[in-house]
Amino acid sequence: MKFSVIVVSLNAGEKLLQTVDSILTQTYDDFEIIVKDGMSKDGSVEQLPEDPRIVLEKRGDKGIYDAMNKGIAHATGELIGIVNAGDFYEPEILSHVANAYQAHPQAGVFYGNMNMLNSDGSLFKTKNPDTDISHLSKGFGLYHPTFFVTRKTYDSVGTYTISFHIAADYDFAFRAYRRGVMFCYVNAVLSNFPIDGVSSKSRKACLEESKLVLLTNGVTEQEVKQTYAEWLRHERRNDVLRWGYNGLQKIIPLSLLNRLANHIHA
C-alpha cells in the first residue's frame, strides 16, 4: 500500500529539508513525496536531495488550501498525508497508519495525536483528539496535520474549499462526517507541529471562519450562536493562560510549565 505525502512550502528555507528528511527516514518505505512549492525564491527547493521518491511541483497557487489541492491532484498513493514545511514526522508514523489501514480498510480518514513544539523545539504539549466525531458540530477537535485520507474519500467528498482561508480543513472533516465517512483514530503521535507565530489575532480569525463552516454545513444559526459563545469563553481563558505561560518560560522549570500547558487549548 502506497502513501503520498504532500509537503506544502513557500520560502521555507531549511525547514523544508527538515520536513522532507523526516519522511525519507520512515521505517515504512512505500511512499512518494510531492513537494508543492508556491514559487519560492529562497533557493530552498534547489537544496532538495536527489531521490526518485521526491516529486517537485513548483507553480503558483491561490493559498495554502489551493496548494494542497494541487498536490492531491498529483498524488498516486492510496493514502494521502499533508504536512506543511516546518512540521515533521516521527520515523514510525507511516507504519502506524499502514497498520491501522490494514485493520480498518473501510475507514476513509485516519488521524492521531500531535506534539506542539515551542520555538526552541521543546515540547509545549501533546494533544490528543476528540475521538467522538459527532462533536464536530461543537468544534474542530481533530488535528489536520495528523490526517491521512484515502484517495477514494477525496474523490467522493471533494478536496479543500479555497474560499475558506483558515478553516478549510475543518470544513473538509465536517463534509466527510456528514457523508458517512468512517474516521479511524490512531493512538500515536502522527505530527510534530511548531506553534511559533500563532497570534491571538489569527486564532480569533479562525473562530470566525469556523463559525461559517458550521453554517455552511447545515448547523442551525441558534446552535452556531451558542457554540461560538462557548468558543469565545474558552479563548478568553486561554489568552490568560498563554500570557502566564509566556511570562514564566524564563523563570520556571520546564516540567512545571508543561503542567500549565496541559490546561491551554492552543
Side-chain angles (χ1 to χ4, degrees):
M1 191 270 297
K2 180 180 179 180
F3 284 88
S4 294
V5 181
I6 298 163
V7 180
V8 178
S9 179
L10 178 63
N11 295 319
E14 294 182 358
K15 293 180 180 180
L16 174 60
L17 294 180
Q18 178 191 32
T19 300
V20 169
D21 284 346
S22 76
I23 305 167
L24 290 174
T25 55
Q26 290 294 302
T27 56
Y28 187 95
D29 60 5
D30 190 3
F31 62 83
E32 65 179 359
I33 302 172
I34 300 172
V35 177
K36 170 58 190 74
D37 181 79
M39 302 302 293
S40 292
K41 298 179 180 179
D42 64 349
S44 53
V45 295
E46 285 74 21
Q47 301 301 314
L48 288 169
E50 296 269 346
D51 192 299
R53 295 170 293 181
I54 299 176
V55 178
L56 176 60
E57 173 67 16
K58 187 173 183 178
R59 59 171 169 155
D61 53 62
K62 299 176 182 178
I64 188 169
Y65 293 112
D66 187 41
M68 292 178 184
N69 289 344
K70 286 179 167 59
I72 293 167
H74 284 83
T76 63
E78 193 168 349
L79 273 173
I80 301 171
I82 300 175
V83 58
N84 293 323
D87 302 355
F88 60 93
Y89 287 164
E90 299 292 338
E92 300 285 340
I93 282 178
L94 297 188
S95 294
H96 289 315
V97 178
N99 291 337
Y101 181 70
Q102 290 178 348
H104 304 282
Q106 71 276 30
V109 178
F110 296 83
Y111 66 100
N113 310 328
M114 181 172 72
N115 282 338
M116 302 188 75
L117 308 177
N118 293 308
S119 57
D120 62 358
S122 62
L123 179 67
F124 174 68
K125 67 184 296 186
T126 298
K127 297 190 72 174
N128 300 322
D130 184 349
T131 57
D132 187 339
I133 304 301
S134 68
H135 291 169
L136 280 172
S137 63
K138 300 299 182 182
F140 193 25
L142 312 178
Y143 312 120
H144 186 251
T146 74
F147 275 26
F148 287 85
V149 180
T150 63
R151 162 58 71 182
K152 180 180 178 181
T153 297
Y154 278 128
D155 289 343
S156 62
V157 174
T159 54
Y160 298 93
T161 305
I162 63 173
S163 59
F164 290 119
H165 303 293
I166 305 173
D169 46 2
Y170 185 17
D171 172 68
F172 168 78
F174 209 114
R175 283 188 285 121
Y177 163 66
R178 292 181 67 208
R179 292 285 295 272
V181 172
M182 177 180 171
F183 286 67
C184 179
Y185 171 56
V186 181
N187 188 13
V189 172
L190 299 187
S191 180
N192 291 286
F193 177 77
I195 59 174
D196 54 304
V198 178
S199 67
S200 176
K201 182 178 179 181
S202 65
R203 285 190 294 268
K204 288 180 171 59
C206 185
L207 294 184
E208 290 292 335
E209 194 164 282
S210 296
K211 181 170 65 173
L212 293 178
V213 167
L214 295 181
L215 292 169
T216 300
N217 284 283
V219 181
T220 68
E221 289 190 15
Q222 183 61 31
E223 289 177 295
V224 171
K225 183 178 180 180
Q226 294 172 352
T227 297
Y228 185 69
E230 185 64 25
W231 290 348
L232 290 179
R233 282 193 291 271
H234 280 292
E235 187 59 24
R236 286 192 292 270
R237 171 182 175 273
N238 285 339
D239 280 343
V240 174
L241 290 171
R242 290 188 194 99
W243 177 84
Y245 181 89
N246 291 335
L248 293 171
Q249 274 186 332
K250 296 181 181 180
I251 59 175
I252 299 295
L254 185 61
S255 59
L256 293 179
L257 278 179
N258 285 342
R259 292 175 63 183
L260 175 60
N262 288 329
H263 295 283
I264 302 175
H265 182 72

